[in-house]
Amino acid sequence: MPTSNAGFFDLGNYLVVFDALMDPYSTIDLIKASKQYTNKEPSFLINSHHHMDHLFGNRLFPMNVPIISSFEAFKQAKEALNTRFKDLKERAPAELKRTESELLNEKNPNKILELKNDLNTYNEISKPSFTLRLPDFIINDSFTLKGTENQVQINYIGAAHTKGDILALFEPEKICFMGDLLFEKTDPSWATNSNIAVPPNPTRLRDVLIEYADKDIETYVPGHGNLCTKKQILENAEFYNEYYIKKSL
């Protein structure tokens, strides 16, 4: 049960995966599912942004699968190797003990799955050989990956949720993978919680959400939560307008 969302696009001669996952076993399942559904090996992996719950599983893709991100996402992921990732590695032994203890008393099946995923992740981090795999290729513009049967637009957004966001528009199917530009549910407490990073450009983020609400899209895949419609995307736009943009004026 992954805590973030990912997916894949079958373009005929290419299989494009959008985002890895935090839990290693979820990423392995994602790769297996992409192969079973398409009968192909992954051709490319896109990292929507630098947050670890969207690129932690990069290392599980074969080295011959290129990983594509924005320059900003690459730079921030590289910095994370010496900051947040180092902190996670140091905390891993204590987190393993805490999670194992919590698991003993947990009755909720969904919470049990979440705790087991956490155990998998911290066990991976504890391995001496473990390190993040950074993107291989960087982009600073939008482009289209064209296959023999289909195509997907990889759209560079720039500074919005993070300093270098990317989304994927599967136009023929009217599906858009938004990464963390979109959440199924938002919470006003994010705006006052010092542990949650403020979007570097909430105005750009709001405007992108409104722009994509106007497009001929039926299904929006958020970075977290269930599939969304135009209703949720406009609710997200209003959320950033109300709690970030107006308060900065």
Side-chain angles (χ1 to χ4, degrees), residues 66-107:
I67 302 176
I68 301 169
S69 80
S70 68
F71 172 74
E72 296 90 347
F74 169 80
K75 183 180 177 182
Q76 291 180 301
K78 192 173 182 180
E79 289 172 357
L81 281 171
N82 299 314
T83 54
R84 189 178 173 202
F85 178 65
K86 182 181 177 182
D87 176 61
L88 279 172
K89 223 168 169 56
E90 290 173 350
R91 289 195 292 111
E95 290 295 333
L96 278 169
K97 288 183 181 179
R98 181 193 62 77
T99 307
E100 286 168 350
S101 175
E102 193 175 342
L103 190 58
L104 290 174
N105 302 312
E106 186 57 57
K107 305 297 182 187

Side-chain angles (χ1 to χ4, degrees), residues 3 11 17 20 27 62 65 83 91 98 127 129 167 169 182 205 221 224 239 242 247:
T3 56
L11 306 185
V17 181
T27 298
V65 176
T83 54
R91 289 195 292 111
R98 181 193 62 77
K127 294 177 180 178
S129 61
L167 58 76
L169 176 57
L182 175 65
L205 176 49
V221 184
H224 300 264
F239 168 77
E242 187 68 27
K247 290 187 177 181

